[in-house]
């Protein structure tokens, strides 16, 4: 059977770092095995699910390069791929379970269930369903329904058994059914919760391997029990470690999590995100920047960590720098297309090379536009300190020399070296700071060649009189 993985987000908000990594691991695993990647929309939370979130997540996945071979826009005959449109399918399987007497209606209210769990915890027992409704007669059930009560539907487990499986990440797993308890597979309003429809759809859609967060580990024995009872094939599950923030708590917007929309708006490149997230909780022996084909070729479940993976913005920015340095000139202009008109045409080729080598984000281009082509240059504290410590005659001499040397940086430096008797940092740093506002940067010869000589004159003149 061909390998098939899946990503099944709920469209209740914009997808964030944790969601992206889950999708990426499934994409990489499928590609590694020349398999397929399925996208399914789990929109059973009708109150919170919105079409705009579905449209956004599909757009985000495409931008990241996570193309799916089956799902919305790519129907392979196993749809619909929105769970809200599959209720009739779930109802049929409920009927099968009812015929097998493997389920029963439960009339316990949320308050009653909460109280039961509280009592169990106080007695140091696992908080599971106490079985209150297991012995209701048909007459009692009909009477409660006649009263207007709407029951949930619970799956009946044999409480002296064990459910075992081999997790793709964590190895052999064993759960005692007595610690799980009978669980709900249909809500009181007749709709299907995650536990049920997720398992049914994975089987019907031919999913062979499902990588998901470790928070789903305890769901797996329940889903395996459902599929076994229905005679449906189960996928192999793998539960990856969750991502934490710098403070060690679960990753959230408060401690570093960003949506794909926010990452894209900031200027992060897809391959930068993918190179970072592929290593977040997964070990590669190759530390080099890789393409998606290379990332998938070297992806293996043995490399997935069982320990929490800590999100590190500095590492993400490292891979961003690596990605920018691999941009072609055409790709750079596409990345900063809105800013291109502000760059003189005769300097665009040199400017492109300069940006590829020296920036991480489009916002930095704005700074360079000011440095090279505009007035209003600002100086940070360290740069201003250099200007304050430099004799004003240095700038006056540079201004005078400019009339003879023009924008020839090498000749300008030679003149200043002879006339001021300076060398090294005392010579080069004040000149760089006064013209660029920065202590470090690209070769000054390249920068001066792009700058208008009148702009250079204004900056030197201002420094000589301050």
């Amino acid at each position: 059977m061909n390998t098939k993985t899946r990503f099944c987000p709920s469209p209740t908000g914009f997808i964030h770092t944790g969601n992206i990594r889950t999708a990426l691991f499934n994409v990489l695993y499928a590609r590694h095995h020349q398999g397929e990647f399925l996208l399914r929309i789990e929109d059973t939370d009708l109150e919170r699910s919105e079409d705009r979130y579905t449209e956004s997540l599909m757009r985000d996945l495409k931008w990241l390069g996570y193309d799916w071979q089956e799902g919305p826009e790519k129907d392979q005959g196993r749809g619909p791929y929105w769970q809200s449109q599959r209720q009739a399918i779930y109802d049929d399987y409920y009927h099968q379970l009812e015929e097998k007497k493997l389920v029963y209606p439960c009339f316990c209210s949320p308050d009653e269930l909460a109280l039961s769990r509280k009592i169990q915890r106080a007695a140091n027992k696992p908080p599971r369903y106490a079985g209150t409704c297991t012995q209701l007669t048909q007459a009692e059930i009909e009477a409660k329904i006649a009263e207007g009560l709407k029951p949930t539907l619970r799956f009946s487990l044999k409480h002296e058994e064990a459910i075992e499986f081999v997790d793709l990440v964590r190895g052999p797993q064993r759960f005692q059914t007595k610690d799980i308890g009978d669980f709900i597979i249909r809500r009181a309003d007749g709709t299907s919760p995650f536990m049920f429809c997720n398992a049914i759809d994975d089987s019907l859609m031919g999913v062979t391997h499902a990588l998901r967060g470790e928070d789903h580990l305890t769901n797996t024995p329940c889903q395996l029990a459902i599929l076994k009872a229905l005679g449906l094939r189960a996928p192999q599950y793998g539960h990856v470690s969750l991502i934490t923030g710098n403070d060690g708590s679960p990753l959230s917007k408060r401690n570093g999590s960003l949506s794909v929309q926010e990452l894209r708006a900031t200027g992060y490149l897809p391959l930068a995100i993918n190179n970072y997230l592929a290593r977040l909780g997964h070990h590669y022996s190759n530390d080099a920047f890789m393409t998606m084909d290379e990332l998938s070729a070297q992806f293996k479940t043995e490399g997935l960590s069982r320990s929490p993976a800590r999100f590190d913005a500095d590492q993400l920015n490292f891979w961003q720098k690596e990605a920018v340095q691999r941009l072609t000139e055409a790709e750079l202009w596409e990345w900063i297309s809105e800013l291109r008109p502000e760059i003189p045409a005769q300097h665009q080729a040199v400017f492109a090379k300069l940006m590829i080598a020296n920036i991480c984000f489009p916002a930095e281009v704005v700074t360079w536009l000011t440095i090279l082509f505009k007035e209003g240059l600002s100086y940070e504290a360290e740069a201003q300190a250099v200007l304050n410590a430099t004799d004003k005659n240095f700038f006056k001499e540079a201004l005078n020399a400019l009339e003879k040397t023009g924008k020839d940086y090498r000749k300008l430096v030679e003149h200043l070296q002879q006339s001021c008797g300076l060398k090294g940092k005392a010579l080069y740093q004040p000149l760089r700071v006064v013209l660029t506002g920065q202590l470090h940067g690209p070769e000054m010869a390249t920068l001066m060649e792009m700058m208008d000589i009148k702009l250079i004159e204004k900056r030197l003149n201002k420094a000589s009189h301050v």
Side-chain angles (χ1 to χ4, degrees):
M1 179 178 291
N2 290 336
T3 297
K4 179 186 284 188
T5 63
R6 48 71 159 173
F7 179 53
C8 42
S10 298
T12 56
F14 299 113
I15 56 174
H16 285 67
T17 311
N19 307 111
I20 306 166
R21 190 189 63 158
T22 298
L24 175 60
F25 284 170
N26 281 281
V27 168
L28 295 177
Y29 189 89
R31 292 187 186 182
H32 180 88
H33 294 280
Q34 293 79 50
E36 296 181 325
F37 173 59
L38 163 76
L39 174 63
R40 185 173 68 239
I41 310 301
E42 300 203 336
D43 58 343
T44 54
D45 186 345
L46 298 179
E47 290 186 3
R48 298 173 58 213
S49 296
E50 297 183 29
D51 289 342
R52 67 187 179 108
Y53 292 134
T54 300
E55 294 165 1
S56 173
L57 71 88
M58 290 171 62
R59 184 167 57 250
D60 290 341
L61 293 177
K62 291 176 183 177
W63 177 70
L64 287 164
Y66 305 172
D67 297 319
W68 56 94
Q69 288 69 55
E70 183 177 1
E73 302 176 350
K74 296 183 180 180
D75 193 331
Q76 298 295 334
R78 298 181 181 87
Y81 298 99
W82 283 261
Q83 287 185 335
S84 61
Q85 301 172 21
R86 297 174 62 82
Q87 192 60 52
I89 297 172
Y90 308 141
D91 289 344
D92 178 63
Y93 284 107
Y94 289 137
H95 181 65
Q96 291 184 39
L97 291 172
E98 287 170 336
E99 286 190 328
K100 294 180 179 182
K101 301 187 183 304
L102 293 175
V103 293
Y104 59 89
C106 174
F107 295 89
C108 297
S109 69
D111 288 343
E112 289 171 332
L113 294 173
L115 178 59
S116 176
R117 288 192 293 268
K118 184 177 181 180
I119 293 172
Q120 288 172 330
R121 288 193 182 97
N124 292 319
K125 295 181 179 179
R128 61 177 180 82
Y129 182 60
T132 307
C133 294
T134 54
Q135 302 302 318
L136 290 177
T137 65
Q138 187 61 35
E140 290 173 324
I141 292 171
E142 291 175 359
K144 288 180 178 294
I145 292 175
E147 292 175 15
L149 297 178
K150 294 183 178 180
T152 60
L153 190 67
R154 287 188 181 271
F155 186 87
S156 181
L157 282 173
K158 294 180 180 179
H159 291 176
E160 299 302 324
E161 294 185 352
I163 299 175
E164 298 178 288
F165 64 95
V166 178
D167 191 280
L168 291 169
V169 179
R170 300 169 182 279
Q173 301 292 310
R174 180 183 175 90
F175 290 82
Q176 297 294 332
T177 52
K178 64 182 178 62
D179 295 329
I180 298 173
D182 298 347
F183 52 91
I184 294 172
I185 61 171
R186 187 175 66 200
R187 302 185 185 100
D189 63 2
T191 60
S192 304
F194 164 86
M195 188 77 74
F196 189 77
C197 53
N198 176 270
I200 297 296
D201 289 345
D202 276 349
S203 185
L204 297 185
M205 294 180 182
V207 173
T208 61
H209 299 79
L211 296 175
R212 58 187 185 179
E214 65 181 359
D215 51 330
H216 287 294
L217 181 60
T218 54
N219 292 330
T220 302
C222 301
Q223 293 182 310
L224 291 174
I226 292 169
L227 295 176
K228 180 180 179 181
L230 291 168
L232 296 175
R233 186 188 56 78
Q236 286 185 267
Y237 292 102
H239 297 86
V240 300
S241 60
L242 299 182
I243 305 175
T244 65
N246 287 329
D247 57 2
S249 63
L251 187 66
S252 65
K253 196 171 183 65
R254 177 185 58 79
N255 61 8
S257 181
L258 295 171
S259 70
V260 177
Q261 284 195 344
E262 290 171 318
L263 291 168
R264 189 174 187 176
T266 302
Y268 282 100
L269 296 167
L271 267 180
I273 298 169
N274 293 337
N275 267 271
Y276 176 57
L277 292 183
R279 293 171 167 88
L280 189 60
H282 177 269
H283 174 70
Y284 280 98
S285 57
N286 182 1
D287 291 331
F289 186 88
M290 290 189 275
T291 65
M292 282 292 283
D293 285 343
E294 291 168 333
L295 287 169
S296 60
Q298 298 180 40
F299 181 85
K300 55 186 182 296
T301 54
E302 294 83 358
L304 290 167
S305 174
R306 301 181 187 182
S307 302
R310 181 163 295 193
F311 183 81
D312 186 340
D314 290 339
Q315 276 296 304
L316 175 58
N317 290 341
F318 168 82
W319 292 111
Q320 171 71 0
K321 182 68 174 178
E322 292 287 309
V324 172
Q325 291 178 346
R326 287 164 174 77
L327 291 176
T328 64
E329 185 176 335
E331 289 169 339
L332 175 84
W333 292 129
E334 182 180 355
W335 188 44
I336 61 170
S337 58
E338 294 181 1
L339 299 171
R340 187 171 187 175
E342 299 185 45
I343 305 159
Q346 69 271 26
H347 297 312
Q348 288 190 357
V350 176
F351 186 84
K353 292 180 181 179
L354 181 74
M355 294 300 99
I356 288 171
N358 289 279
I359 69 168
C360 281
F361 301 102
E364 296 171 71
V365 177
V366 177
T367 299
W368 282 105
L369 287 174
T370 300
I371 291 172
L372 295 170
F373 309 120
K374 300 179 181 181
E375 297 186 25
L377 185 66
S378 61
Y379 301 88
E380 293 186 358
E382 278 190 87
Q384 187 63 54
V386 170
L387 292 182
N388 296 340
T390 303
D391 193 314
K392 300 300 178 283
N393 288 326
F394 173 85
F395 301 118
K396 291 178 181 178
E397 190 59 38
L399 191 60
N400 293 333
L402 192 65
E403 296 181 9
K404 301 175 183 178
T405 65
K407 296 193 295 180
D408 190 320
Y409 176 71
R410 182 181 60 81
K411 290 182 178 180
L412 178 62
V413 167
E414 288 176 354
H415 181 95
L416 288 172
Q417 189 173 23
Q418 294 173 4
S419 61
C420 299
L422 299 173
K423 61 181 181 179
K425 186 176 181 180
L427 171 64
Y428 296 107
Q429 194 172 64
L431 192 57
R432 175 180 290 280
V433 168
V434 73
L435 295 182
T436 70
Q438 299 187 358
L439 296 172
H440 310 283
E443 291 185 0
M444 283 301 301
T446 302
L447 299 180
M448 280 188 65
E449 186 58 37
M450 283 191 284
M451 298 168 70
D452 187 280
I453 194 165
K454 292 183 178 179
L455 184 62
I456 297 173
E457 289 174 351
K458 285 184 179 180
R459 289 178 182 172
L460 288 172
N461 186 57
K462 181 179 179 180
S464 67
H465 288 88
V466 172

